[in-house]
Amino acid sequence: MRSAAEHLAQVLALMPPPDLHVVRLADALGQVVAADVCARVALPPFDNSSMDGYAVRAADVARASASAPVALAVVGESAAGHPWTGEVAAGEAARIMTGAVLPAGADAVIPQEEVAATDGTVLVASPVHAGRFVRRRGEDAGAGDVVVAAGTVLAPRHLAAAASSGVERVMVTRPPRVAYLVTGDELVAPGGVLGPGQIFDSNAAYLAAALRALGAVPVDLGVVRDRPADVLAAVSGADADLVVTTGGASVGAHDPVKAGLAAAGVAFLNVAIQPGKPQGLGCVEGVPVVCLPGNPVAVAVCVEVFVGPAVRAMRGVPEPVWEPRRALEAWRCPPVREQVMPVVISAEGVRPATPGGSGSHLAASLAAADGLARVHAEADTVEVGDIVAVRRFTA
């Protein structure tokens, strides 16, 4: 059997590199920036006031007191977008508004509520230090500084940082198109009526939502019945960067995915992971194809362990880390396979999400989990207090 790490490496080796294009900031929300966004100018681009008040020279009011206030002549006014071009000389002040350019000669701002203003004069009753209420040029970022790093998924705050830096357009990775199909004569769409031996399909709903959550564009290839030719036709005609199939990939007599795709370039094998042992991987007409088991928990686990990293590689997004957590309950592990257990995560540690553990059929119980714990293949059991690798769901 191939280890999960080896299989992931093979999956990633088939993924195309990120497809780059340039978009306006207005269209960039949720996309991944492909190159560092750097400030075009210093931020702020000039010394300015953080208060409404008066721009002064700190030395002029160094000896001001309530009993001996210093009178300064008001010689100009600087407003936001309308800087005063004069210079504050000794014994002078300039009216200034929040965000306005600090006039030449001035090195501090006194809020208007701290002075007594008369016609053409202000009285200052206490000293101020140089730099008081002054926002210095470049204190947020210097020209050329990185304000949004490559690989960042752009949120509103990142767009604001780019805009404040004078950047109108950014280079991003194009969201990959990931097609998916589910197979099985036993599947009925939710809301339908179950016949003998049939079950409701949950994999299509899961994959559509999971792929969207990962930042891909889901492409629904539908439910394909258990006919190998139909599977091959659906996969061959997919307009996608990656195709994900579920079900029909094992060694049974009615495994249409394996029967339909093995001769087209997909290798089917066992991966040392539980759940998710039977899988397929290859290319059909140049498009990578990842074939997953059909049981819902196995699908969710394999999306987190294999498909999620594949999508992130095509988007240029770093892989989230698995963190060490303490087991709060004991549980058994399968022999010679890495176990991926749905768990509930708390500040104290983790415990299995359901009494059924990592059973691949427990679709309804999967909703109780916060994430997954990974247990290495050599372990037969996890005991209370053991450390396991844990990550919250990324999809």
Side-chain angles (χ1 to χ4, degrees):
M1 284 191 292
R2 178 186 290 173
S3 72
E6 292 169 335
H7 190 61
L8 175 59
Q10 294 294 322
V11 170
L12 295 178
L14 294 181
M15 295 306 112
D19 182 16
L20 310 184
H21 65 140
V22 176
V23 298
R24 300 179 307 139
L25 288 183
D27 301 320
L29 181 65
Q31 299 199 49
V32 180
V33 65
D36 290 342
V37 177
C38 300
R40 291 179 55 197
V41 297
L43 300 176
F46 46 80
D47 291 353
N48 68 91
S49 176
S50 64
M51 301 287 285
D52 290 342
Y54 293 86
V56 302
R57 296 156 52 104
D60 286 348
V61 296
R63 298 184 178 182
S65 65
S67 59
V70 173
L72 301 174
V74 179
V75 293
E77 178 176 293
S78 187
H82 301 280
W84 181 57
T85 58
E87 181 175 350
V88 175
E92 296 178 342
R95 185 83 168 95
I96 194 167
M97 307 304 171
T98 301
V101 174
L102 187 72
D107 58 10
V109 173
I110 304 176
Q112 60 187 24
E113 59 269 23
E114 295 182 10
V115 302
T118 60
D119 187 21
T121 303
V122 290
L123 296 176
V124 181
S126 60
V128 297
H129 61 81
R132 188 181 187 220
F133 296 122
V134 175
R135 301 165 175 159
R136 291 299 183 189
R137 179 182 184 275
E139 70 176 35
D140 190 16
D145 285 355
V146 175
V147 292
V148 183
T152 300
V153 180
L154 293 170
R157 64 185 184 278
H158 302 119
L159 302 182
S164 70
S165 304
V167 174
E168 178 191 13
R169 296 174 179 270
V170 290
M171 181 178 291
V172 298
T173 60
R174 195 182 303 276
R177 291 173 58 83
V178 181
Y180 63 95
L181 63 83
V182 297
T183 61
D185 290 342
E186 77 279 13
L187 299 179
V188 174
V193 178
L194 294 178
Q198 291 187 314
I199 59 173
F200 289 120
D201 170 40
S202 65
N203 286 339
Y206 169 79
L207 286 169
L211 292 171
R212 190 171 290 109
L214 289 168
V217 177
V219 179
D220 185 5
L221 299 181
V223 176
V224 179
R225 297 305 169 190
D226 289 336
R227 290 181 287 273
D230 291 352
V231 174
L232 179 59
V235 171
S236 299
D239 177 17
D241 302 297
L242 169 66
V243 176
V244 177
T245 73
T246 66
S250 189
V251 294
H254 302 284
D255 285 326
V257 173
K258 184 175 182 179
L261 301 183
V266 178
F268 289 83
L269 70 159
N270 290 329
V271 178
I273 191 172
Q274 191 269 334
K277 180 180 176 182
Q279 299 200 36
L281 179 64
C283 289
V284 175
E285 297 184 355
V287 177
V289 179
V290 174
C291 301
L292 308 180
N295 283 314
V297 178
V299 171
V301 164
C302 292
V303 165
E304 288 289 334
V305 176
F306 302 119
V307 177
V311 171
R312 284 187 282 270
M314 288 187 285
R315 297 186 73 205
V317 178
E319 189 67 11
V321 299
W322 293 79
E323 299 179 342
R325 289 291 185 98
R326 192 175 305 278
L328 301 177
E329 294 180 8
W331 69 79
R332 295 188 60 80
C333 307
V336 302
R337 284 193 288 165
E338 178 181 3
Q339 184 185 48
V340 185
M341 172 73 77
V343 291
V344 174
I345 303 172
S346 67
E348 293 74 28
V350 299
R351 55 172 47 88
T354 70
S358 56
S360 62
H361 63 294
L362 301 173
S365 300
L366 186 64
D370 300 313
L372 300 172
R374 300 183 72 162
V375 184
H376 57 80
E378 292 76 18
D380 295 324
T381 61
V382 171
E383 303 294 343
V384 174
D386 284 353
I387 302 300
V388 293
V390 175
R391 190 173 74 186
R392 292 186 180 274
F393 287 117
T394 62

